């Protein structure tokens, strides 16, 4: 076989040769040269079995750095039990971060693997990068490590692997609500950095994960500043939040079927009628240098489903949300939808709502920072404030027909 990096002819390409000649792994070589792994690998490199005997026992007292790394990965939900092993999966784009993490986890007997699996469903060979250790090596630090590892060290590992930066806010998905709550409380009490818990789990999502978002723009800046020195020592961690990359807009379209009527409408829209609404949600922002995306379409869909579709689909709009009781027009719907979504999608740049194929409304509302200061649009709550004309109402509605009072009769 001919190596496209060094030009040598080798019996088979493996990481031993490639790391020597080009400092690439096989998977990176395959991507760089646009070659399917099937064409590069020999059959005995695929689906190689693994044995627990190949792994060293953990050291008696893992270092503090190792314990912090393990806790950060646990918060991130990256420790996956798998047939007697614990695997930490990493992406090929972030191989160096995975190896940085391994460097801290060797005390537990973790090893790096790039494994190649034949998938019978797609007839493709796919590569996976992972850190692996026998589950038995982690028993002492598996549940509640004592004493607890230092918070900021664990948080740095967590953030490098899991945090995302959207429009000036940090989003942090934790594998369990209890971790999210612990981190939120610790940041608030010790550093006066405030976060909000968001519910972004889907109907079919039984992971029980919990999402934190830094509360304000200032909280996001403060958290990055606090973590900067630590993140800068970790490959691809700091650049993920700070690298300047091109901007792009992404749009997701979802539909819901609803009934409504328009109060006091002079034409037939005052009658109860139904229809299919098509909602397009657009998010604009920088392309995350690690994911290559502005926002994950799956997250976008989950958020819109949870906050909007589940509320309105097969419901009566006027009774599904207080804000629409009087006017369930597309315009009012858009203002309402915007205010719901902006908390989860601070990069929200536009929504379009079709009531029919040839009638639609475009809307751009306030930024999250503006909404936090100014509150909800008062347009949505015309009946919250009591009428100022109390006397007039009582006199003319409660006691119709009573003679009008004159100025001199009021004492
Ligand atoms: Zn070579």
């Amino acid at each position: 076989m001919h190596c496209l990096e060094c030009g040598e002819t080798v019996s088979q390409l493996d990481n031993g040769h490639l790391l020597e000649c080009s400092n690439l792994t096989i998977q990176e070589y395959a991507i760089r040269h646009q070659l399917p792994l099937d064409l590069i690998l020999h059959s005995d490199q695929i689906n190689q079995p693994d044995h627990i005997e190949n792994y060293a026992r953990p050291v008696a007292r893992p270092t503090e750095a190792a314990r912090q790394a393990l806790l950060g990965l646990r918060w991130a939900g990256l420790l996956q039990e798998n047939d007697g092993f614990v695997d930490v999966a990493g992406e090929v784009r972030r191989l160096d971060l995975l190896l940085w993490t391994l460097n801290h986890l060797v005390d537990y007997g973790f090893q790096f693997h790039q494994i190649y699996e034949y998938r019978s469903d797609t007839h493709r060979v796919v590569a996976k990068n992972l850190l692996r250790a026998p589950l038995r090596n982690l028993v002492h630090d598996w549940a509640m490590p004592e004493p607890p590892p230092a918070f900021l060290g664990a948080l740095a590992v967590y953030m490098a692997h899991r945090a995302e930066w959207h429009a000036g806010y940090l989003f942090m998905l934790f594998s369990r609500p209890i971790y999210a709550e612990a981190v939120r409380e610790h940041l608030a009490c010790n550093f006066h950095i405030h976060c909000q818990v968001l519910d972004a789990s889907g109907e079919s999502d039984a992971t029980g994960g919990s999402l934190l978002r830094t509360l304000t723009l200032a909280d996001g800046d403060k958290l990055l500043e606090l973590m900067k020195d630590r993140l800068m020592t970790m490959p691809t961690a700091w650049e993920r939040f700070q690298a300047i990359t091109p901007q792009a807009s992404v749009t997701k379209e979802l539909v819901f079927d609803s009934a409504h009527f328009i109060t006091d409408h002079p034409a037939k829209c005052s009658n109860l009628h139904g229809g299919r609404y098509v909602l397009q949600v657009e998010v604009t922002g920088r392309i995350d240098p690690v994911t290559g995306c502005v926002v994950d379409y799956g997250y976008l869909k989950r958020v819109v489903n949870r906050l909007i579709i589940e509320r309105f689909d097969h419901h009566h709009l006027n009774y599904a949300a207080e804000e629409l009781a009087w006017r369930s027009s597309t315009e009012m719907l858009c203002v309402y939808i915007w205010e719901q979504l902006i908390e989860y999608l601070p990069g929200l740049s536009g929504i379009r709502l079709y009531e029919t194929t040839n009638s639609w409304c475009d809307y751009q509302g306030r930024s999250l920072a503006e909404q936090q200061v100014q509150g909800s649009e008062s347009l949505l709550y015309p009946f919250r404030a009591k009428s100022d004309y109390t006397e007039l109402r009582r006199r003319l509605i409660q006691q119709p027909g009573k003679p009008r009072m004159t100025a001199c009769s009021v004492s």
Side-chain angles (χ1 to χ4, degrees), residues 117-128:
E117 289 177 348
Y118 173 71
R119 292 260 180 83
S120 56
D121 53 345
T122 55
H123 302 293
R124 279 182 65 223
V125 175
V126 295
K128 281 185 189 166

Side-chain angles (χ1 to χ4, degrees), residues 105-118:
L105 286 177
V106 283
D107 282 2
Y108 291 104
F110 273 94
Q111 294 178 16
F112 172 76
H113 291 279
Q114 189 170 80
I115 58 173
Y116 316 102
E117 289 177 348
Y118 173 71

Side-chain angles (χ1 to χ4, degrees), residues 161-205:
H161 286 273
R162 247 309 179 252
E164 293 185 14
W165 181 250
H166 293 292
Y169 300 83
L170 275 162
F171 281 76
M172 300 180 281
L173 181 66
F174 288 85
S175 57
R176 292 174 62 191
I178 191 171
Y179 301 146
E181 189 49 40
V183 169
R184 191 196 63 74
E185 196 178 314
H186 199 106
L187 284 173
C189 295
N190 296 287
F191 304 103
H192 306 292
I193 294 170
H194 300 282
C195 296
Q196 183 174 345
V197 180
L198 302 175
D199 181 3
S201 56
E203 269 181 310
S204 59
D205 184 4

Side-chain angles (χ1 to χ4, degrees), residues 18-303:
L18 283 172
L19 288 169
E20 281 296 323
C21 91
S22 58
N23 204 25
L24 294 172
T25 63
I26 293 179
Q27 189 187 9
E28 290 166 303
Y29 174 90
I31 295 169
R32 187 169 147 92
H33 295 288
Q34 294 172 276
L35 290 168
L37 285 166
D38 324 41
L39 291 182
I40 301 172
L41 295 166
H42 194 265
S43 60
D44 62 12
Q45 292 168 289
I46 299 166
N47 294 345
Q48 281 186 332
D50 201 1
H51 302 288
I52 281 184
E53 302 79 62
N54 298 339
Y55 291 80
R57 288 274 177 178
V59 301
R61 282 176 184 278
T63 61
E64 168 64 17
R67 300 173 70 249
Q68 290 171 10
L70 200 66
L71 181 59
L73 294 174
R74 170 168 299 113
W75 286 347
L78 287 173
L79 299 171
Q80 296 293 325
E81 283 185 53
N82 181 12
D83 207 17
F85 291 103
V86 170
D87 288 347
V88 178
E91 294 178 17
V92 65
R93 168 76 178 81
R94 309 191 87 190
L95 213 48
D96 290 334
L97 178 64
L98 196 65
L99 295 170
W100 181 97
T101 310
L102 173 62
N103 205 24
H104 286 68
L105 286 177
V106 283
D107 282 2
Y108 291 104
F110 273 94
Q111 294 178 16
F112 172 76
H113 291 279
Q114 189 170 80
I115 58 173
Y116 316 102
E117 289 177 348
Y118 173 71
R119 292 260 180 83
S120 56
D121 53 345
T122 55
H123 302 293
R124 279 182 65 223
V125 175
V126 295
K128 281 185 189 166
N129 296 287
L130 47 91
L131 311 181
R132 175 173 283 177
L135 180 57
R136 65 174 187 212
N137 285 13
L138 301 168
V139 284
H140 293 299
D141 282 317
W142 191 240
M144 281 288 173
E146 272 304 326
F151 175 79
L152 290 180
L155 186 63
V157 173
Y158 168 84
M159 283 178 67
H161 286 273
R162 247 309 179 252
E164 293 185 14
W165 181 250
H166 293 292
Y169 300 83
L170 275 162
F171 281 76
M172 300 180 281
L173 181 66
F174 288 85
S175 57
R176 292 174 62 191
I178 191 171
Y179 301 146
E181 189 49 40
V183 169
R184 191 196 63 74
E185 196 178 314
H186 199 106
L187 284 173
C189 295
N190 296 287
F191 304 103
H192 306 292
I193 294 170
H194 300 282
C195 296
Q196 183 174 345
V197 180
L198 302 175
D199 181 3
S201 56
E203 269 181 310
S204 59
D205 184 4
T207 54
S210 196
L211 185 65
L212 281 191
R213 192 204 71 224
T214 42
L215 187 63
T216 65
L217 290 170
D219 289 309
D221 290 342
K222 228 164 138 182
L223 182 53
L224 275 192
E225 195 51 43
L226 176 70
M227 304 306 292
K228 181 175 179 179
D229 291 345
R230 286 182 169 81
L231 293 172
M232 282 181 79
T233 65
M234 305 164 76
T236 69
W238 184 247
E239 73 181 58
R240 173 155 206 197
F241 306 119
Q242 291 297 292
I244 295 167
T245 55
Q247 294 248 330
S249 296
V250 297
T251 301
K252 191 89 195 166
E253 181 178 288
L254 290 100
V255 299
F256 54 95
D257 299 316
S258 303
H260 82 142
F261 59 78
I262 304 278
T263 314
D264 299 332
H265 192 267
K268 61 185 181 180
C269 278
S270 63
N271 299 331
L272 178 64
H273 60 285
R276 168 154 293 187
Y277 289 85
V278 177
L279 172 65
Q280 295 174 347
V281 176
E282 181 196 73
V283 174
T284 301
R286 95 195 228 284
I287 300 174
D288 183 319
V290 166
T291 64
C293 301
V294 171
V295 62
D296 177 43
Y297 282 108
Y299 172 76
L300 190 51
K301 183 178 168 184
R302 223 165 31 248
V303 165

